[in-house]
Amino acid sequence: MLNLNLEQLQQHATPLYVYDMNMLRQTLQNAQQEAGKYNFHVHYALKANANTPILNEMRQHGFGADCVSGNEVKAAIENGFTPQEVVFAGVGKSDDEINYALDQQIFCFNCESKHELEVLNELAEKKDTIARVALRINPNVNANTHKYITTGLEENKFGINAWELDSVIELLQQLKHIKLIGIHFHIGSQITDLTVFKNLCTRVNEFQEWFMAHNIRLEHLNVGGGLGVDYYHPEQNPIPDFAAYFGLFNQFLELRPGQQVHFELGRSLVAQCGTLISKVLYIKNGISTNFAILDAGMTELIRPALYQSYHKIVNLTSQKPEVRYDVVGPICESSDCFGKAVMLPETNRGDLIAIRTAGAYGEVMASAYNLRTKAEAIYV
Ligand SMILES: *Cc1c(COP(=O)(O)O)cnc(C)c1O
């Protein structure tokens, strides 16, 4: 159950991000327990939420850090992750970002193109060091999720396509400052159909065979993240089914002796612990529904506008009979809408509204558009 105390909330200005730290801890414990059964290593994808109290919990629960920018690498290290626990992915790493990560001697660069491998080699040579690399391979597996969070199809910009691998291996023989330690995959996010991950395992096994046939032994397999959460039933189903998820990889991945398996989870670890609290400013009549106009908008939580995503909306202060509302924000964009035709108890100015499951890709995607002030965050 979400741990929200109304009196406590009312002391804060809105919009307000509230993080339920018990919920977070229960989730992290469960994930580590299930991953631990198979000695799987889980890196937390910082891009889902990089707030310091969240990162502290991750570190204390034994997660590594999965980063997609130089500043994320920096945030991980400044928040106490050791460089040996940091992996760095991303299609467009800048020279400065690579140099910083080389100086920190991070565990692994997940490289996404031949060109990037060449540049990384050159920069590592200048520093007289060796970069450990996992090749991010695009496995052409459909994640059955929203097209903006699909990353593992050949039409997507991510990863190295299978037909390029021959030339990648040839290239790697010339790159003396790169050490290939593994292969990496990340096919998308908010994946709720577990057969997608089974398909991924099949592809990973095929790629392993290919590398074996080329006499290349891979120490590390990184299968990325993407496990989805239940946005519709955050109360009934707050913790994703980590047992089924990790169990599936254990069942279907064919490992070689001594091989380590890595995961990069973001959303599934932090989505349910976060709630966006907002106050109702105005009620306005519409054609078929009324509008409830909130003081939070797409500048605080962009997911509905960007991905047409659903978030459960709750009125915390009204017990009246239900009425239908379009719940919208104050930003000058028609996409600034949290939900259409939402049934809520009759709602009035000053009511507190909770937008659930906002811990991942919420606060971290906030923008200053319309010169908005950044929302406060509290940890309860
Ligand atoms: C975003 C991302 C993740 C995390 O994805 P989730 O769906 O939040 O688990 C993992 N790996 C990479 C490379 C990513 O870009």
Side-chain angles (χ1 to χ4, degrees), residues 45 47 66 68 89 136 184 186 189-190 225-226 264-267 361:
K47 77 173 191 282
D66 168 48
V68 290
R136 178 170 180 175
H184 171 234
H186 175 67
S189 197
Q190 184 52 19
E264 303 168 334
L265 295 177
R267 186 191 310 273
Y361 307 106

Side-chain angles (χ1 to χ4, degrees), residues 27-29 61 63 89 95 102 119 124 154 189 199 222 242 275 296 322 327 331 363 365:
T27 308
L28 301 188
Q29 275 161 18
H61 283 83
F63 292 88
D95 293 18
L102 283 172
V119 170
E154 280 170 0
S189 197
N199 297 341
N222 183 334
F242 292 114
T275 300
E322 290 197 328
V327 181
I331 306 303
E363 199 184 342
M365 284 182 141

Side-chain angles (χ1 to χ4, degrees), residues 60-357:
Q60 282 159 19
H61 283 83
F63 292 88
D66 168 48
C67 304
V68 290
S69 75
N71 283 345
E72 284 192 1
V73 175
K74 207 164 168 206
I77 289 170
E78 285 176 358
N79 282 285
F81 290 87
T82 64
Q84 290 74 43
E85 302 167 308
V86 173
V87 299
F88 184 13
V91 285
K93 303 176 189 77
S94 73
D95 293 18
D96 282 349
E97 291 177 312
I98 291 173
N99 280 327
Y100 174 75
L102 283 172
D103 288 340
Q104 298 295 325
Q105 299 186 302
I106 62 163
F107 168 58
C108 188
F109 291 81
N110 294 338
C111 285
E112 309 218 6
S113 67
K114 282 195 285 183
H115 203 171
E116 182 191 341
L117 286 168
E118 286 167 347
V119 170
L120 178 59
N121 182 68
E122 203 180 296
L123 295 174
E125 184 172 10
K126 279 194 192 133
K127 292 184 182 292
D128 196 21
T129 185
I130 307 261
R132 283 174 296 273
V133 161
L135 298 175
R136 178 170 180 175
I137 298 174
N138 185 325
N140 202 25
V141 169
N142 193 338
N144 293 335
T145 186
H146 191 274
K147 70 177 192 304
Y148 286 179
I149 49 175
T150 294
T151 55
L153 290 177
E154 280 170 0
E155 69 200 60
N156 300 129
K157 68 180 173 181
F158 297 98
I160 296 167
N161 285 318
W163 68 80
E164 286 186 296
L165 282 178
D166 278 307
S167 61
V168 169
I169 296 311
E170 252 173 62
L171 174 67
L172 281 175
Q173 279 161 0
Q174 295 148 36
L175 304 181
K176 300 297 176 216
H177 290 264
I178 284 188
K179 180 174 187 234
L180 180 67
I181 64 167
I183 49 178
H184 171 234
F185 303 83
H186 175 67
I187 57 173
S189 197
Q190 184 52 19
I191 298 168
T192 50
D193 171 5
L194 287 186
T195 60
V196 165
F197 292 115
K198 189 179 160 193
N199 297 341
L200 173 62
C201 288
T202 306
R203 292 294 284 147
V204 176
N205 295 338
E206 289 165 10
F207 284 111
Q208 276 245 70
E209 289 293 333
W210 187 92
F211 279 91
M212 294 295 283
H214 288 73
N215 279 321
I216 298 170
R217 207 188 144 269
L218 303 164
E219 287 168 73
H220 301 278
L221 296 182
N222 183 334
V223 292
L227 177 62
V229 299
D230 191 343
Y231 282 94
Y232 289 87
H233 309 100
E235 303 290 346
Q236 297 92 315
N237 200 8
I239 299 183
D241 194 349
F242 292 114
Y245 173 72
F246 290 118
L248 182 144
F249 282 94
N250 180 57
Q251 189 182 351
F252 293 106
L253 266 189
E254 289 164 13
L255 299 185
R256 309 287 185 255
Q259 226 167 23
Q260 278 186 16
V261 183
H262 300 258
F263 291 81
E264 303 168 334
L265 295 177
R267 186 191 310 273
S268 53
L269 299 176
V270 295
Q272 297 291 15
C273 77
T275 300
L276 175 59
I277 303 292
S278 177
K279 219 172 251 159
V280 177
L281 291 174
Y282 304 105
I283 302 294
K284 166 172 164 166
N285 294 331
I287 295 176
S288 52
T289 58
N290 292 335
F291 292 101
I293 303 171
L294 309 188
D295 65 1
M298 63 192 285
T299 43
E300 285 66 53
L301 180 67
I302 201 175
R303 297 190 67 259
L306 188 59
Y307 315 117
Q308 288 109 31
S309 53
Y310 174 87
H311 283 264
K312 186 165 183 188
I313 301 171
V314 184
N315 186 326
L316 299 175
T317 45
S318 167
Q319 272 89 44
K320 297 187 186 131
E322 290 197 328
V323 183
R324 209 178 289 277
Y325 295 96
D326 282 6
V327 181
V328 302
I331 306 303
C332 301
E333 299 287 338
S334 291
S335 61
D336 183 30
C337 175
F338 290 116
K340 285 199 188 303
V342 181
M343 293 302 292
L344 289 178
E346 192 191 320
T347 294
N348 282 297
R349 175 173 168 83
D351 285 352
L352 280 182
I353 301 290
I355 301 173
R356 300 296 318 273
T357 320

